C-alpha cells in the first residue's frame, strides 16, 4: 500500500511544501510521484494545522488537503487495505 509523505523542506523544492507518496518495492520505499503543493500549504503556513483526507474506492485513491484535491491515483493493492 502507498505511504503518504508531506515534506515542508526538501532541497529539490527549495523549502516549498511537497507531496510524495511512496510504495514499498522489493523492500525499498519508492516514490510514486512528487509535486509541490505550495498553493495549498504556502511556506508561511507550513507550521499550521492542516487536514488530510484519503479515500479509497476499489483501486482508486484520492487525497485532499484542507478540502482541496491534490492527487488521484490507482494502485493494484489499494483494495487490500480495506
Amino acid at each position: 500500500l502507498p505511504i503518504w509523505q508531506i515534506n515542508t523542506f526538501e532541497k529539490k523544492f527549495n523549502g516549498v511544501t511537497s507531496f510524495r507518496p511512496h510504495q514499498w518495492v522489493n523492500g525499498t520505499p519508492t516514490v510514486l510521484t512528487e509535486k509541490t503543493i505550495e498553493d495549498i500549504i504556502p511556506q508561511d503556513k507550513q507550521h499550521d494545522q492542516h487536514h488530510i483526507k484519503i479515500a479509497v474506492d476499489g483501486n482508486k485513491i484520492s487525497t485532499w488537503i484542507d478540502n482541496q484535491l491534490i492527487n488521484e491515483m490507482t494502485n493494484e493493492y489499494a483494495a487490500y487495505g480495506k
Side-chain angles (χ1 to χ4, degrees):
L1 291 175
I3 304 162
W4 277 249
Q5 180 181 37
I6 307 295
N7 284 0
T8 56
F9 180 78
E10 181 71 33
K11 287 182 183 179
K12 73 171 77 178
F13 293 125
N14 296 315
V16 172
T17 310
S18 62
F19 172 70
R20 303 178 74 224
H22 294 66
Q23 181 168 315
W24 288 95
V25 177
N26 297 322
T28 303
T30 303
V31 176
L32 298 173
T33 187
E34 56 187 348
K35 65 180 187 176
T36 64
I37 53 172
E38 66 181 322
D39 55 326
I40 298 167
I41 304 177
Q43 285 183 308
D44 64 335
K45 302 290 184 185
Q46 288 178 344
H47 297 287
D48 293 356
Q49 181 174 326
H50 298 278
H51 301 276
I52 187 168
K53 174 184 170 185
I54 301 166
V56 178
D57 183 13
N59 66 349
K60 180 182 173 186
I61 305 170
S62 302
T63 305
W64 292 264
I65 293 182
D66 296 339
N67 294 318
Q68 294 185 53
L69 183 65
I70 63 163
N71 185 262
E72 288 185 309
M73 71 172 104
T74 58
N75 185 285
E76 63 184 294
Y77 301 109
Y80 294 114
K82 288 186 164 186

